[in-house]
Amino acid sequence: MKPIHLFYLFIVCFTFERCCSSEDLYTALVDLEKLLETERQVINSVDSYLKLEDERLSQLRFIRDNYMQMHQIASRDIHSYLANPVNAYILVKRLTTDWKTVESLMTSGPTEIAKAVFNNLTDLSNHETFPSPEDLSGAVDALLRLQDTYKLDTSTLAKGKIPAGKYSKTNEFIDNQFELTAGDCFELGRHSYINGDHYHTVLWMQEAIDRLDDEPIKTANRADILEYLAFSNYQQGNIRHALHLTAELLEIFPSHPRASGNKLYYESLIGKSTSSKKRGDEGDDVPIDETISESANVFEPREESEREAYESLCRGEKRISARTDSQLKCYYLDTTKKPYLRLSRIKVEEAFKKPKIVVFLDIMSDFEIEVIKNLSTPRLKRATVQNYKTGDLEVARYRISKSAWLKGEDHAVVARVNQRIEDITGLTTQTAEELQVVNYGIGGHYEPHYDFARREEKNAFKSLGTGNRIATWLNYMSDVDAGGATVFPILGITVWPRKGSAAFWYNLYKSGEGDLLTRHAACPVLVGSKWVSNKWFHERGQEFLRPCGLKINS
Ligand SMILES: *[C@@H]1O[C@H](CO)[C@@H](O)[C@H](O)[C@H]1NC(C)=O
Ligand SMILES: *[C@@H]1O[C@H](CO)[C@@H](O)[C@H](O)[C@H]1NC(C)=O
């Protein structure tokens, strides 16, 4: 017995297109605000539909009552009732023209109303923002990414509770008023299924079942949930549980088109694994063990360990020794040789010694930050990464955020910030890239990467003609309610975003060689929104500046 039936249902799901050409609303919180306006329009439409529909139903009720009244009177004494020509006429009319009215009220009615309302909505909302299917899958991916990175428990998350305090300085448990419905959980499970992620499918389908029991108006179909749950359990090698769930499915839906076939298939697998200990006896059915070992080998060991380090740092877990940590200092920047800065006291915190990574505090004022956010908001676009073979810019799932570029000439504040960065680092911004402003929405992140181009990336920065990215200056322009740290997985350090602070490090050794230890990442934003801006310095123009440049005494 082969599990042929099992796969039909899911073919439909697999053809669902995933692509990134849309506007990608979920990537930035500023765009999600637009969706609230869309939602207001939707509420209006449903409301006007219900009004019209109520009217229609009252009409139908009125007609029914009328029919019933007449019918009762007539039934009492049929002969004398019909002896009256007026009554005879009314009866015939009731069943001809009046019936036509009823018919049209009952059939075309709802459709017509819906059409009118939809047309109205489309007219009104030509300029409204509706999220695309890609936005939905982006939002689902974001939630699952957060669940993994921050090790969030499925039930707690479904209740809308997020232990934000662990992943920020704000120290509170975010307790939402809204919980996920069984249908919301089902959708998370279904998307996980489409992505071939049976682990999350099982978690969310189970949560959907648990929630379904408590719902007065069911938001999901129990049979659908059971089918996904059974199949994903089977995929994870949990055949007995798959069989148990399929039996449950058959109880509530005995004529289910695939369940009986699946049940026999699962039974045959279990029969084989208990009756025959010899491998190779299994015919051409999928051996159970293979399914398991296959999924265990998906990641290469090196990749896995970087991801683990990255996620652990995102959660703020300590990964450097107490000794290394105790050597880090805080001090005021020596500004005696920096004419523009002589009067300011700039606080510096060391995040790492070698390579030197420092954090400057109170480097931008709230006013400056607001101006820069305001300038960039209308220009935000989905952030891209450079294809190292072609040098082209493209969107990627491992970098999810929106960004905009600001020139010094755009506003005096931008010029002032550029000048300050130049004064503090002693590097020239002449050859630097424009200020890149980035907004990360919920789940927005940038997986581990280098800022500099490696040797094989010949085309990177070619068009700029100013050499490689010698150093990175990263302004934190917001506090983040939870998550969103900058982490260096090889060094094992976490830099938490603090509004007004800035991180700085060199990407290249003095020789021009890239420093591989500077590999870093932006952790997914768990709660809130994250704004940063980047200034990337390039090699050209720094020849005489770097040796005597950032001389921070320690
Ligand atoms: C269409 O929109 C207008 C303006 O919002 C509203 O007054 C009207 O009732 C709507 N019509 C329908 C059929 O929804
Ligand atoms: C930024 O934009 C907001 C909203 O348009 C406005 O109220 C505020 O005054 C602006 N702030 C600055 C500093 O320009």
Side-chain angles (χ1 to χ4, degrees):
M1 183 68 57
K2 301 236 174 213
I4 291 169
H5 310 299
L6 204 55
F7 300 104
Y8 282 139
L9 166 73
F10 303 106
I11 288 168
V12 184
C13 310
F14 273 116
T15 57
F16 181 79
E17 284 282 326
R18 315 189 100 261
C19 96
C20 311
S21 59
S22 81
E23 268 300 290
D24 298 308
L25 292 166
Y26 64 90
T27 55
L29 213 63
V30 285
D31 291 319
L32 285 179
E33 286 167 13
K34 286 187 215 146
L35 294 187
L36 282 177
E37 176 52 26
T38 310
E39 190 169 61
R40 197 182 62 82
Q41 295 288 355
V42 168
I43 293 169
N44 286 346
S45 310
V46 176
D47 195 55
S48 70
Y49 175 83
L50 284 174
K51 283 199 184 106
L52 293 168
E53 184 68 351
D54 276 345
E55 214 172 284
R56 186 180 73 87
L57 290 176
S58 331
Q59 256 178 299
L60 275 171
R61 269 189 212 102
F62 177 77
I63 294 173
R64 176 201 58 191
D65 293 348
N66 218 298
Y67 271 92
M68 274 167 64
Q69 209 185 1
M70 293 295 249
H71 192 74
Q72 268 170 3
I73 295 170
S75 308
R76 270 183 230 141
D77 186 350
I78 295 171
H79 287 291
S80 61
Y81 180 79
L82 287 180
N84 187 328
V86 172
N87 291 347
Y89 164 70
I90 290 175
L91 177 62
V92 173
K93 176 164 181 290
R94 284 270 186 280
L95 295 177
T96 51
T97 47
D98 288 6
W99 174 244
K100 280 270 176 285
T101 312
V102 173
E103 215 175 40
S104 87
L105 277 172
M106 281 169 61
T107 53
S108 64
T111 331
E112 297 298 300
I113 295 173
K115 269 189 200 142
V117 171
F118 276 129
N119 287 342
N120 212 358
L121 182 65
T122 331
D123 285 349
L124 282 172
S125 67
N126 258 344
H127 308 288
E128 299 297 342
T129 319
F130 261 93
S132 62
E134 291 79 39
D135 284 318
L136 177 60
S137 58
V140 171
D141 285 348
L143 201 57
L144 298 178
R145 185 184 313 128
L146 292 172
Q147 183 178 19
D148 280 348
T149 308
Y150 297 105
K151 294 202 164 132
L152 307 175
D153 170 67
T154 309
S155 292
T156 314
L157 191 55
K159 287 195 187 86
K161 290 186 206 286
I162 292 165
K166 277 159 75 184
Y167 313 116
S168 73
K169 310 262 164 197
T170 53
N171 214 25
E172 56 190 299
F173 207 94
I174 302 238
D175 195 352
N176 209 2
Q177 236 174 314
F178 297 102
E179 304 198 356
L180 297 182
T181 62
D184 296 336
C185 297
F186 176 77
E187 192 59 23
L188 285 166
R190 206 180 63 85
H191 272 260
S192 307
Y193 183 88
I194 294 167
N195 291 338
D197 174 356
H198 297 290
Y199 171 75
H200 281 116
T201 310
V202 168
L203 288 181
W204 286 102
M205 289 298 173
Q206 188 57 53
E207 188 62 28
I209 289 256
D210 294 346
R211 299 204 144 236
L212 197 65
D213 293 336
D214 298 332
E215 286 184 345
I217 295 179
K218 306 293 179 206
T219 56
N221 181 316
R222 196 179 185 89
D224 290 346
I225 303 177
L226 285 171
E227 188 175 15
Y228 278 102
L229 196 52
F231 186 73
S232 284
N233 265 291
Y234 155 70
Q235 282 288 320
Q236 290 204 300
N238 206 342
I239 318 267
R240 271 173 210 285
H241 195 50
L243 176 62
H244 173 80
L245 292 162
T246 308
E248 198 182 326
L249 170 58
L250 277 168
E251 253 170 56
I252 59 169
F253 192 169
S255 62
H256 189 279
R258 293 167 297 273
S260 343
N262 293 343
K263 182 163 174 275
L264 288 173
Y265 175 66
Y266 295 146
E267 280 167 351
S268 78
L269 287 179
I270 291 171
K272 265 179 208 146
S273 69
T274 47
S275 67
S276 100
K277 297 270 178 273
K278 266 188 282 170
R279 294 195 118 263
D281 257 16
E282 283 154 358
D284 30 42
D285 284 335
V286 185
I288 304 157
D289 302 335
E290 233 168 69
T291 331
I292 302 164
S293 59
E294 219 174 358
S295 56
N297 281 332
V298 171
F299 298 106
E300 306 205 333
R302 193 199 74 83
E303 204 178 343
E304 172 120 50
S305 76
E306 174 170 77
R307 171 153 292 275
E308 276 170 5
Y310 158 61
E311 293 187 346
S312 146
L313 289 166
C314 287
R315 294 191 295 271
E317 290 162 10
K318 268 249 166 315
R319 290 176 74 95
I320 54 171
S321 68
R323 230 197 79 188
T324 313
D325 197 31
S326 70
Q327 285 167 349
L328 299 174
K329 295 194 177 70
C330 299
Y331 51 86
Y332 284 102
L333 188 67
D334 177 8
T335 51
T336 48
K337 291 192 196 80
K338 296 173 185 285
Y340 296 103
L341 298 169
R342 198 164 291 158
L343 295 177
S344 44
R345 299 276 273 161
I346 293 169
K347 281 175 269 180
V348 190
E349 288 179 6
E350 285 175 343
F352 209 80
K353 287 270 191 204
K354 224 172 166 206
K356 196 168 189 83
I357 299 172
V358 292
V359 177
F360 298 100
L361 302 186
D362 303 322
I363 222 68
M364 276 174 88
S365 71
D366 287 354
F367 172 78
E368 289 169 337
I369 287 174
E370 196 176 317
V371 169
I372 288 182
K373 278 190 196 172
N374 277 7
L375 286 172
S376 47
T377 299
R379 308 188 196 177
L380 289 174
K381 286 213 166 58
R382 174 81 189 257
T384 51
V385 291
Q386 198 156 33
N387 180 319
Y388 80 87
K389 288 197 185 107
T390 62
D392 292 342
L393 297 175
E394 44 196 45
V395 297
R397 293 185 74 193
Y398 60 84
R399 181 178 194 186
I400 294 182
S401 61
K402 289 203 160 186
S403 60
W405 299 90
L406 297 182
K407 291 187 183 45
E409 304 91 77
D410 286 337
H411 198 283
V413 164
V414 182
R416 196 201 298 171
V417 168
N418 285 346
Q419 183 62 50
R420 189 174 308 143
I421 297 173
E422 185 163 299
D423 293 343
I424 293 174
T425 59
L427 296 173
T428 178
T429 50
Q430 291 294 313
T431 53
E433 289 167 63
E434 290 166 8
L435 189 70
Q436 188 200 40
V437 183
V438 188
N439 179 221
Y440 294 92
I442 306 292
H445 70 147
Y446 190 179
E447 288 182 11
H449 63 279
Y450 304 106
D451 279 355
F452 60 87
R454 273 148 304 146
R455 270 201 218 130
E456 64 270 26
E457 299 172 306
K458 295 227 183 311
N459 288 316
F461 313 128
K462 200 173 179 181
S463 58
L464 297 175
T466 52
N468 211 341
R469 276 183 183 157
I470 191 172
T472 296
W473 177 284
L474 171 58
N475 289 306
Y476 294 101
M477 305 205 304
S478 67
D479 292 315
V480 180
D481 293 337
T486 307
V487 299
F488 295 75
I490 304 173
L491 304 177
I493 57 165
T494 302
V495 177
W496 292 102
R498 277 174 288 175
K499 192 177 182 187
S501 69
F504 176 79
W505 67 87
Y506 277 100
N507 294 306
L508 308 179
Y509 292 112
K510 288 190 180 168
S511 62
E513 197 71 16
D515 185 347
L516 297 173
L517 300 177
T518 61
R519 194 164 168 83
H520 61 283
C523 296
V525 174
L526 179 55
V527 182
S529 163
K530 175 182 170 186
W531 287 86
V532 298
S533 54
N534 290 297
K535 196 77 190 165
W536 284 297
F537 292 97
H538 281 250
E539 290 174 291
R540 295 292 99 70
Q542 319 294 357
E543 291 84 352
F544 300 106
L545 298 170
R546 182 171 186 190
C548 53
L550 187 74
K551 197 95 172 261
I552 296 162
N553 58 350
S554 37

